């Protein structure tokens, strides 16, 4: 069993640093993003997300990881380019963080506001060959995050994912799913996705400070019944899988920049 949890116990977030020293570092994630302290950076470029829309030659597997629901990729590369990243970054998986209630669940906060869910697209620097090698390199990883907000309508784009949740109720169960390009969830212009940028860490142990963080300023809509489906999953203790988010960490010396005027 893993040495960490999200519980308010001696395996909870306050104790992660005892087994994973990096979790006590000065560049940890997530953070509270305060808009009056964010710097507009006119030299920060937009991403090129065009390879995300490829569905041919891509295999996707939905997995209940016990602390999150994750979609893993194999086959044709999905690549994150641009955004002033030092290299191209390859997508390995995306996953979600959510709460027991719609008033909590996101990892990042905006002006102290919590959101019901956050999705992370996890990438590693192409020239470092694989995720485990990139994990401990400065700038080895790039995570693109999206906050969800409750909408009255179902988000029909999410249904192709959610229809498989009944098959992965228990931890370690996998389901093959039809290719799901994550950009399908974006309604705005994909060539001009505004985001916040800062340098931080993995939000779970080992909390390595190797992540170039980009948090979209565009929210993804989700209905209350759709949020409820995430909470039907079970963890290792056969409880409902909820509250899989880390509390915000000190910003310390860091600056958050943005593409948004
Ligand atoms: S996150 O995006 O900062 N929440 C985050 C946190 C932890 C990981 C990834 C993203 N962990 C790693 C696992 C590896 C796995 C890899 C790629 O994700 O520790 O075992 O190979 O899926
Ligand atoms: Zn995450």
């Amino acid at each position: 069993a893993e040495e960490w949890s999200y519980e308010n116990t001696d395996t909870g977030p306050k104790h992660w640093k005892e087994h994973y020293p990096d979790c006590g570092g000065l560049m940890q994630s997530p953070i509270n993003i305060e808009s009056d302290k964010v710097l507009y950076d006119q030299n920060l470029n937009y991403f090129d997300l065009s390879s995300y829309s490829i569905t041919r030659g891509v295999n996707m597997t939905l997995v209940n990881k016990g602390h999150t629901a994750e979609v893993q990729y194999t086959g044709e590369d999905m690549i994150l380019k641009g955004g002033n990243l030092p290299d191209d970054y390859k997508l390995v998986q995306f996953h979600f963080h959510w709460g027991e209630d719609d008033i909590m669940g996101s990892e990042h906060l905006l002006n102290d506001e919590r959101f019901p869910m956050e999705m992370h697209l996890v990438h590693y620097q192409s020239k470092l060959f694989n995720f485990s090698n990139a994990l401990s390199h400065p700038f080895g990883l790039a995570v693109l995050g999206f906050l969800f907000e409750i909408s009255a309508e179902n988000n029909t784009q999410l249904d192709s994912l959610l229809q498989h949740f009944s098959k992965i109720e228990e931890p370690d169960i996998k389901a093959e799913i039809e290719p799901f390009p994550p950009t399908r969830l974006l309604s705005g212009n994909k060539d001009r996705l505004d985001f916040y940028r800062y340098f931080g860490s993995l939000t779970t142990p080992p909390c390595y400070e190797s992540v170039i963080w980009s948090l979209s300023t565009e929210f993804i809509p989700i209905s209350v019944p759709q949020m409820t489906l995430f909470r039907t999953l079970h963890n290792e203790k056969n409880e409902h899988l909820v509250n899989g988010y880390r509390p915000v960490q000190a910003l310390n010396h860091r600056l958050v920049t943005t593409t948004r005027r």
Side-chain angles (χ1 to χ4, degrees):
E2 274 168 321
E3 297 281 355
W4 62 274
S5 76
Y6 290 107
E7 296 165 1
N8 193 12
T9 64
D10 61 4
T11 56
K14 285 193 187 73
H15 295 272
W16 290 356
K17 60 172 181 278
E18 294 159 18
H19 283 99
Y20 307 96
D22 289 29
C23 299
L26 296 172
M27 294 177 52
Q28 290 291 292
S29 296
I31 57 167
N32 176 32
I33 295 176
E34 294 176 274
S35 46
D36 62 348
K37 292 183 186 154
V38 172
L39 185 78
Y40 165 65
D41 181 356
Q42 61 176 33
N43 297 315
L44 184 55
N45 297 313
Y46 290 116
F47 289 115
D48 172 358
L49 302 174
S50 53
S51 81
Y52 277 181
S53 44
I54 299 170
T55 52
R56 230 164 9 100
V58 177
N59 291 302
M60 299 200 190
T61 309
L62 178 65
V63 194
N64 178 340
K65 298 268 283 184
H67 56 92
T68 187
E70 186 172 297
V71 175
Q72 299 173 345
Y73 283 72
T74 56
E76 203 66 41
D77 290 331
M78 295 206 174
I79 299 169
L80 184 64
K81 296 176 198 227
N84 295 28
L85 297 173
D87 187 14
D88 289 352
Y89 284 71
K90 288 186 185 172
L91 185 63
V92 275
Q93 48 111 323
F94 65 83
H95 62 267
F96 301 86
H97 301 264
W98 64 92
E100 62 182 12
D101 213 310
D102 297 336
I103 62 166
M104 58 177 90
S106 68
E107 297 214 293
H108 288 91
L109 309 188
L110 287 183
N111 301 316
D112 296 303
E113 188 182 352
R114 300 166 181 281
F115 295 81
M117 192 160 71
E118 182 167 335
M119 174 174 74
H120 291 154
L121 308 187
V122 182
H123 312 72
Y124 66 91
Q125 201 175 334
S126 295
K127 68 164 178 259
L128 298 176
F129 310 117
N130 60 51
F131 186 90
S132 51
N133 187 48
L135 196 61
S136 53
H137 272 260
F139 314 119
L141 307 178
V143 182
L144 176 55
F146 293 89
L147 296 167
F148 286 71
E149 63 177 359
I150 297 294
S151 72
E153 310 277 303
N154 280 340
N155 182 337
T156 53
Q157 300 298 335
L158 272 175
D159 284 335
S160 67
L161 202 61
L162 294 175
Q163 64 175 336
H164 299 285
F165 270 43
S166 59
K167 291 184 260 178
I168 62 147
E169 246 171 51
E170 306 308 326
D172 302 323
I173 300 183
K174 300 184 178 194
E176 295 304 314
I177 64 168
E178 57 280 24
F180 178 84
T183 38
R184 261 194 213 152
L185 296 172
L186 301 179
S187 53
N189 184 345
K190 288 151 197 64
D191 297 322
R192 293 179 157 272
L193 181 74
D194 283 305
F195 59 91
Y196 299 109
R197 161 64 51 79
Y198 76 98
F199 298 98
S201 74
L202 295 173
T203 65
T204 67
C207 307
Y208 292 147
E209 294 179 334
S210 51
V211 181
I212 304 177
W213 271 97
S214 307
L215 187 72
S216 168
T217 67
E218 183 190 327
F219 301 134
I220 299 175
I222 186 166
S223 69
V224 168
Q226 288 181 315
M227 267 316 308
T228 303
L229 263 170
F230 280 86
R231 302 184 191 110
T232 62
L233 301 181
H234 292 169
N235 65 17
E236 242 100 45
K237 293 176 165 179
N238 204 28
E239 301 157 339
H240 288 284
L241 206 184
V242 294
N243 298 339
Y245 60 92
R246 187 189 195 186
V248 290
Q249 305 295 303
L251 186 61
N252 296 317
H253 61 285
R254 291 175 289 179
L255 181 65
V256 181
T257 58
T258 183
T259 56
R260 193 164 72 170
R261 278 178 191 277

